Amino acid sequence: MIKKLKSLREKKWAQILLIPFAFIYGWVIEMRNFCYHWRIFKTISFPVPIIAIGNITAGGTGKTPFTLFLLELLKSDFGRIVVISRGYGRESRGVRVVSDGQGAILRAVEGGDEPVMIARKCLNVPVIVAERRSKGIQTALEKFKPDLILLDDAFQHRQVARNCDIVLINQHYPLHQAHLLPRGNLREHVRNLSRADMVVITNSDGHPETTELKFLNRHFRGEIFTCRNHDDGLVDMWHKQTGDISHLAGEKAIVFAAIAEPEQFKNLLLAHDIAIADFLAFPDHHAYKKEDLADIYQRAKSRQCRYIITTEKDLVKIEKGVFQEINLVAVSLKISMPDMQKFRKYLLRYIDIN
């Protein structure tokens, strides 16, 4: 469905056809924001600092790597940090404790691929999923007594009051050329960035386009930071380091991924001279079926590949040994930020930590 919508948007006639639907969608979102702004819809406050990480577009900005970055950055300032997410792609409902921070972790089908990935990489961090984040926060307060809560994908989830709103923007997809859903991938009008406290441009080369910066500065008056993803080695089924990605240079491999922007992942591998024999892109948060995995295995075997490569987000959905003798590895990603200490200083101001 997502692939069909993306291909549809590329056609001029479809762009015209989708204008009224985008207008209706935008009107509904603006009415909702109006109700929150004038307190017709109530927000719920909690006795714990909350940082919300979100975006203004539909997917592909790197919220999960950024959440991991924040956990590392703030771990010395807070005794216990809890991550709360909606848990896209899971089959369960309601509040579920994905990880209690002591080792027990739900499967991706119950907890969602991204929350389970965070739980496996940060074994001492409690992770909770809940459609209604307020109920997830209440569970966190009762069970874990957190010093800080990271609220994943929550810029549009306005029911919960927060100390700081961080909005991520992918440099590869300029906002000044974007349109509202379903015509484009904007979740709401760019002018609503005025609600944010900080904006971070992800996948950045450190030099955002002048046109884009001017456009952002018209709608957002706060601090703008940049960061980029880079590979942090290869990992096994439990996200333990198994070597450097450079070891795969020249190796023929089958690659699969179910992420919002698979081409970025493909380009990363090509930059390391990995010979991609076949690249399979599935819809974001795709739940792999037996036939999907059997197809991947047969492709690798018929092309005599020694490796099957995927993302860490996809790795959590694969059972051990499913590809038999062929090595399954995932590329670990890590965020680097040029002004990291300045970013940390600004962030702590919002949550009253000196």
Side-chain angles (χ1 to χ4, degrees):
M1 180 66 184
I2 295 171
K3 282 185 178 180
K4 287 180 181 178
L5 184 57
K6 283 184 177 179
S7 61
L8 191 65
R9 287 173 185 161
E10 294 172 2
K11 303 180 188 300
K12 287 185 178 180
W13 63 266
Q15 282 280 318
I16 297 170
L17 184 66
L18 291 170
I19 287 174
F21 295 98
F23 176 82
I24 294 167
Y25 169 83
W27 182 84
V28 171
I29 295 300
E30 288 304 295
M31 286 302 297
R32 179 177 178 272
N33 283 331
F34 175 88
C35 289
Y36 274 112
H37 180 78
W38 292 104
R39 299 182 182 179
I40 299 168
F41 292 167
K42 303 300 182 183
T43 58
I44 305 171
S45 298
F46 293 92
V48 59
I50 296 174
I51 298 173
I53 306 145
N55 53 21
I56 203 164
T57 56
T61 56
K63 292 187 302 295
T64 302
F66 196 81
T67 299
L68 292 167
F69 168 76
L70 286 182
L71 286 170
E72 180 66 24
L73 182 69
L74 299 174
K75 66 181 183 182
S76 62
D77 297 295
F78 299 92
R80 167 148 284 192
I81 304 176
V82 174
V83 175
I84 297 178
S85 173
R86 178 177 177 176
Y88 287 102
R90 65 185 174 118
E91 294 180 4
S92 63
R93 292 289 179 269
V95 180
R96 299 299 300 274
V97 177
V98 176
S99 170
D100 60 5
Q102 297 180 3
I105 299 174
L106 294 182
R107 295 181 304 141
V109 70
E110 300 171 271
D113 48 16
E114 292 166 339
V116 170
M117 172 187 155
I118 292 170
R120 287 192 183 182
K121 288 180 72 72
C122 305
L123 294 175
N124 62 339
V125 174
V127 179
I128 296 171
V129 292
E131 292 91 350
R132 293 188 64 183
R133 310 301 203 285
S134 58
K135 290 187 175 181
I137 294 170
Q138 194 59 51
T139 299
L141 292 172
E142 292 169 2
K143 289 181 176 291
F144 305 115
K145 296 180 172 49
D147 300 302
L148 175 70
I149 286 175
L150 298 184
L151 214 53
D152 175 54
D153 197 13
F155 187 57
Q156 286 76 33
H157 191 86
R158 300 190 61 181
Q159 184 191 43
V160 173
R162 68 285 313 265
N163 297 70
C164 183
D165 252 316
I166 303 172
V167 174
L168 308 183
I169 297 170
N170 190 334
Q171 179 171 305
H172 297 309
Y173 300 96
L175 293 182
H176 69 273
Q177 298 174 345
H179 301 286
L180 283 171
L181 289 165
R183 186 185 177 198
N185 68 344
L186 280 178
R187 289 179 165 186
E188 56 183 307
H189 287 289
V190 178
R191 61 174 174 265
N192 292 330
L193 281 175
S194 59
R195 294 202 316 270
D197 297 300
M198 288 189 281
V199 163
V200 178
I201 300 174
T202 62
N203 297 305
S204 174
D205 58 7
H207 303 284
E209 226 182 283
T210 305
T211 306
E212 181 74 353
L213 279 178
K214 285 182 178 178
F215 181 76
L216 275 177
N217 286 328
R218 287 209 307 266
H219 300 285
F220 177 70
R221 300 296 183 185
E223 287 293 321
I224 299 175
F225 295 87
T226 63
C227 71
R228 71 178 184 90
N229 286 341
H230 58 87
D231 69 89
D232 193 34
L234 303 172
V235 295
D236 62 13
M237 293 294 295
W238 282 93
H239 303 270
K240 301 297 183 185
Q241 291 281 342
T242 61
D244 193 85
I245 193 172
S246 61
H247 297 161
L248 296 184
E251 283 281 358
K252 188 164 60 172
I254 297 293
V255 180
F256 71 96
I259 55 179
E261 300 298 337
E263 285 300 313
Q264 290 182 23
F265 181 57
K266 182 179 180 180
N267 292 336
L268 171 67
L269 299 180
L270 291 173
H272 285 279
D273 298 320
I274 295 169
I276 300 176
D278 213 340
F279 185 85
L280 290 84
F282 295 88
D284 198 11
H285 303 289
H286 179 69
Y288 294 103
K289 300 173 183 176
K290 286 184 179 179
E291 47 265 39
D292 295 327
L293 302 176
D295 178 50
I296 293 167
Y297 173 70
Q298 288 303 323
R299 287 171 187 255
K301 194 171 182 181
S302 65
R303 290 163 175 76
Q304 298 181 321
C305 299
R306 293 199 304 148
Y307 289 93
I308 294 174
I309 305 172
T310 191
T311 70
E312 286 190 289
K313 175 176 162 177
D314 292 291
L315 190 65
V316 302
K317 296 181 281 190
I318 310 301
E319 297 293 331
K320 187 176 181 180
V322 72
F323 296 130
Q324 300 179 40
E325 77 282 4
I326 301 175
N327 297 300
L328 172 64
V329 293
V331 179
S332 178
L333 295 179
K334 189 174 183 178
I335 279 182
S336 62
M337 180 180 283
D339 297 321
M340 184 171 66
Q341 290 309 317
K342 180 182 177 183
F343 172 80
R344 177 178 170 275
K345 181 181 176 182
Y346 272 83
L347 184 56
L348 293 179
R349 282 181 184 175
Y350 285 104
I351 43 186
D352 298 323
I353 299 289
N354 297 315

